[in-house]
Amino acid sequence: MTQANKTVNKATAEQKPSRYVDCEHCSMQAVCLPIGSENHAIDLTSNYLTKRIEVSAGRNSSPLLNQVTGVKLFEQAKPLTAIFAVCSGTFKLSQQNEAGIEKIVGFRFPGELMAEDALFLETYNYSAIALDDSSVCQVFVAPLSACSKLAPELQQNLIKLLTKQSYVQQRNTQALIGKKSAECLLAAFLLNICQRYAKYSGNETQIELTISRHDIANFLGIRRETLSRILSKFQQEQLISIKGKLLVLLSLNRLKQLADN
Amino acid sequence: MTQANKTVNKATAEQKPSRYVDCEHCSMQAVCLPIGSENHAIDLTSNYLTKRIEVSAGRNSSPLLNQVTGVKLFEQAKPLTAIFAVCSGTFKLSQQNEAGIEKIVGFRFPGELMAEDALFLETYNYSAIALDDSSVCQVFVAPLSACSKLAPELQQNLIKLLTKQSYVQQRNTQALIGKKSAECLLAAFLLNICQRYAKYSGNETQIELTISRHDIANFLGIRRETLSRILSKFQQEQLISIKGKLLVLLSLNRLKQLADN
DNA sequence: GTTTATATTTGATGTAGATCAACAAAAGAT
DNA sequence: ATCTTTTGTTGATCTACATCAAATATAAAC
């Protein structure tokens, strides 16, 4: 474990567990765990293949234009050399279209993967931006590729991992297309992120909301104003509470009811 | 090549090339083509691994409820034993949610894959329904899995294929979320299907539209009435023409302009 | 052929959410 | 501390699309 003391010293530290997600709760498990008893030689947790690195948040050094906040871990269209698992913190994944318009395509919490959906391809499909002081496990592709040629089981595990991941991804986005009302959309989103964050925090009724309203609205395909109104409404109706960065879900049942409409 | 003479005899046959898509234009190529010169033993085009089968359309035998039209090639949640490539015809892919609501998650034209996104998983993620008299190449997973253990190159090819596929899929759906207006959405959709169909027909300005308005609307997340209105408007504006089942794009440029808004 | 069912188009109306605009509250910068 | 910038909230209006409803066209059944 590397040091993340900076994070601990911050004002918001009370709400945030001062620990990394452990390997047992990480989606990379299928890749990292050594395969079969005879194959112990291939242990991807050795530093040869993987490396834990810190990503400090802090806004981009150049506040010229409406630049993205946070720090880029990797960048869309650049050569892909490694994939990542989030150990602590939060990331947003964004794509820029030809016109340069930013579209948030997802968020990642501890235990979740980034760029795995482009494994063995040439370039990253999206950029990853830290919204927080974060840490990640970096898995280099070249040695992974070499290893997997030696160990067919590893490769089958990889394929299973990737297909499962892409299925989850698809469900996440397909659900949102359903053209539910913005309220349902938001209810579904809040439940989703709290549930995912719970793997890390242990509590699926609350989350430290490091994601800006702008990014949530962008991701959901609604306007910031609309998002803000619905959040206010949810608070009036005692469905949620927001104090500073802490979001609490007050009634999972009613939110679930709203979500699947 | 198996016989597809039934199809040729149909009234709509003039508009439709009476041939299968050839292997050169098929997305399964990376899997089917024998690998390396030394590995000729592994030729997946042998009948051992793949098999071409016919799927007659014709509506479902039970017109009781608002049952899906067409014939199911495989069914969501059933055990996955094979993946498929479309040789001729059209398929729609549909998912049912817990409430039993049908959601169209995609269409497949000749040369495109089905169920590959669940390869090595237990069950199909969606059902595939033939909208046409169609034919497919069936690739059995068990022998494919066995083979790929022998040939790491095949497996790397598979991973590349899958990740590319899932990227294209994602782009297709993400583009639709962009919450463009229904007009942009439809323009993008028409361009997309014509372009994909062109691999088969050779002409990217027209398509034999076997997909119902209902299914298009469902896929795009708009109402049938809205779809119908926009189609009428596009015809008035000489952007497209519809005669029977034949859809012709009259101005690719103006449609493209509309599409990326 | 006729009849029945299904698919598609068109019209009238209501509403959710976009848009424009102003204001309030944080967060950085000096 | 003040000043500036960014981020979030609330109000007023407008429009695209959903919804309800009815007419027409197409396809299946007899």
Side-chain angles (χ1 to χ4, degrees):
Chain A
M1 296 282 157
T2 47
Q3 68 294 343
N5 303 329
K6 275 193 307 183
T7 311
V8 176
N9 292 336
K10 284 183 61 181
T12 56
E14 304 97 63
Q15 289 127 269
K16 189 176 156 186
S18 60
R19 59 174 180 84
Y20 297 104
V21 73
D22 51 38
C23 289
E24 301 225 353
H25 292 107
C26 176
S27 303
M28 199 76 90
Q29 213 188 0
V31 176
C32 287
L33 287 193
I35 308 130
S37 40
E38 345 77 46
N39 271 320
H40 269 159
I42 305 178
D43 181 351
L44 302 214
T45 54
S46 78
N47 274 343
Y48 171 53
L49 274 173
T50 77
K51 187 178 155 193
R52 174 165 279 165
I53 57 176
E54 304 287 323
V55 185
S56 67
R59 40 195 47 262
N60 225 341
S61 43
S62 62
L64 310 168
L65 307 168
N66 49 351
Q67 282 288 12
V68 288
T69 62
V71 161
K72 274 190 185 165
L73 177 62
F74 55 83
E75 195 162 358
Q76 180 180 11
K78 292 278 166 68
L80 187 150
T81 56
I83 64 176
F84 299 88
V86 181
C87 301
S88 64
T90 319
F91 287 81
K92 71 171 177 182
L93 310 180
S94 88
Q95 282 179 340
Q96 292 202 275
N97 67 8
E98 322 73 44
I101 306 289
E102 184 187 31
K103 168 73 189 162
I104 310 289
V105 296
F107 302 100
R108 291 293 181 273
F109 299 105
E112 301 183 335
L113 302 183
M114 297 187 289
E116 87 289 350
D117 50 1
L119 183 63
F120 299 146
L121 298 187
E122 303 300 318
T123 57
Y124 291 103
N125 292 334
Y126 42 73
S127 303
I129 294 122
L131 300 177
D132 227 357
D133 284 344
S134 309
S135 61
V136 298
C137 272
Q138 184 174 32
V139 180
F140 297 101
V141 172
L144 177 62
S145 172
C147 277
S148 61
K149 275 180 186 146
L150 300 174
E153 305 100 311
L154 171 60
Q155 214 153 20
Q156 289 239 5
N157 282 348
L158 267 181
I159 296 183
K160 278 188 194 171
L161 174 69
L162 295 179
T163 47
K164 269 183 199 157
Q165 284 283 124
S166 107
Y167 177 66
V168 171
Q169 279 289 106
Q170 255 197 68
R171 276 212 93 96
N172 278 349
T173 47
Q174 283 292 349
L176 300 185
I177 298 191
K179 249 311 188 357
K180 320 161 160 201
S181 70
E183 280 189 24
C184 309
L185 214 61
L186 183 57
F189 174 76
L190 295 179
L191 286 165
N192 181 256
I193 59 170
C194 282
Q195 195 194 320
R196 288 158 59 193
Y197 192 70
K199 271 194 296 189
Y200 175 64
S201 70
N203 183 344
E204 73 166 350
T205 63
Q206 63 177 61
I207 187 172
E208 191 206 337
L209 205 53
T210 54
I211 312 170
S212 73
R213 309 296 148 102
H214 174 87
D215 287 340
I216 296 175
N218 182 319
F219 177 66
L220 294 179
I222 61 179
R223 295 276 117 177
R224 278 168 302 161
E225 297 94 320
T226 305
L227 173 63
S228 189
R229 276 182 243 276
I230 301 175
L231 282 176
S232 301
K233 194 178 166 220
F234 280 4
Q235 282 177 281
Q236 275 169 34
E237 291 169 346
Q238 308 269 316
L239 285 170
I240 63 172
S241 96
I242 302 179
K243 288 166 203 146
K245 288 205 176 304
L246 185 68
L247 167 76
V248 182
L249 307 187
L250 298 175
S251 170
L252 289 182
N253 285 338
R254 284 199 290 151
L255 280 169
K256 280 175 188 163
Q257 252 185 329
L258 247 177
D260 44 48
N261 245 339
Chain B
M1 298 280 157
T2 48
Q3 69 293 345
N5 303 330
K6 276 193 305 182
T7 310
V8 176
N9 293 336
K10 284 181 62 180
T12 56
E14 304 97 62
Q15 290 127 266
K16 190 175 156 188
S18 61
R19 58 173 180 84
Y20 296 103
V21 72
D22 52 39
C23 288
E24 301 225 353
H25 292 106
C26 176
S27 303
M28 199 77 89
Q29 213 187 1
V31 177
C32 287
L33 287 193
I35 308 129
S37 40
E38 347 76 46
N39 270 321
H40 269 158
I42 305 178
D43 182 351
L44 303 213
T45 54
S46 77
N47 273 344
Y48 171 53
L49 274 173
T50 77
K51 187 177 154 193
R52 175 165 278 166
I53 58 176
E54 303 289 322
V55 185
S56 67
R59 42 193 47 264
N60 226 340
S61 42
S62 61
L64 310 167
L65 307 167
N66 49 350
Q67 282 288 12
V68 288
T69 61
V71 161
K72 275 189 185 164
L73 177 62
F74 56 84
E75 195 163 358
Q76 180 180 10
K78 292 277 167 69
L80 187 151
T81 56
I83 65 175
F84 300 87
V86 181
C87 301
S88 64
T90 319
F91 287 81
K92 72 170 176 182
L93 309 181
S94 87
Q95 282 179 342
Q96 292 203 276
N97 66 8
E98 322 73 44
I101 307 291
E102 184 187 30
K103 167 74 189 162
I104 309 289
V105 295
F107 302 101
R108 290 294 180 273
F109 299 105
E112 301 182 335
L113 302 183
M114 296 187 288
E116 88 289 350
D117 50 2
L119 182 63
F120 299 146
L121 299 187
E122 304 299 318
T123 57
Y124 290 103
N125 291 335
Y126 43 74
S127 304
I129 294 123
L131 300 177
D132 228 359
D133 284 345
S134 309
S135 61
V136 298
C137 271
Q138 184 175 32
V139 180
F140 297 101
V141 173
L144 177 62
S145 172
C147 276
S148 61
K149 276 180 186 144
L150 300 175
E153 305 99 310
L154 171 59
Q155 214 154 18
Q156 289 240 5
N157 282 347
L158 268 180
I159 295 184
K160 279 189 195 171
L161 174 68
L162 295 179
T163 47
K164 269 183 200 158
Q165 284 283 125
S166 107
Y167 178 64
V168 171
Q169 279 289 107
Q170 255 197 69
R171 276 212 93 96
N172 278 348
T173 47
Q174 283 291 349
L176 300 186
I177 297 192
K179 246 321 185 356
K180 322 161 161 202
S181 71
E183 279 189 23
C184 308
L185 215 60
L186 183 57
F189 175 76
L190 296 178
L191 286 165
N192 180 256
I193 60 171
C194 282
Q195 195 194 320
R196 287 159 60 192
Y197 192 70
K199 271 195 296 191
Y200 174 65
S201 70
N203 182 344
E204 72 166 350
T205 63
Q206 64 178 60
I207 187 171
E208 192 206 337
L209 206 52
T210 54
I211 312 170
S212 73
R213 308 296 147 102
H214 174 88
D215 287 341
I216 296 175
N218 182 318
F219 176 66
L220 294 180
I222 61 179
R223 298 274 115 178
R224 278 168 302 163
E225 297 93 321
T226 305
L227 173 63
S228 189
R229 277 182 242 277
I230 301 175
L231 282 175
S232 302
K233 194 178 166 220
F234 280 5
Q235 281 176 282
Q236 276 170 31
E237 292 169 346
Q238 309 270 316
L239 285 169
I240 64 172
S241 97
I242 302 179
K243 289 165 201 146
K245 288 205 174 304
L246 184 69
L247 167 75
V248 182
L249 307 187
L250 298 176
S251 170
L252 289 182
N253 285 338
R254 285 199 289 151
L255 280 169
K256 281 175 186 161
Q257 251 184 329
L258 248 178
D260 44 47
N261 246 337

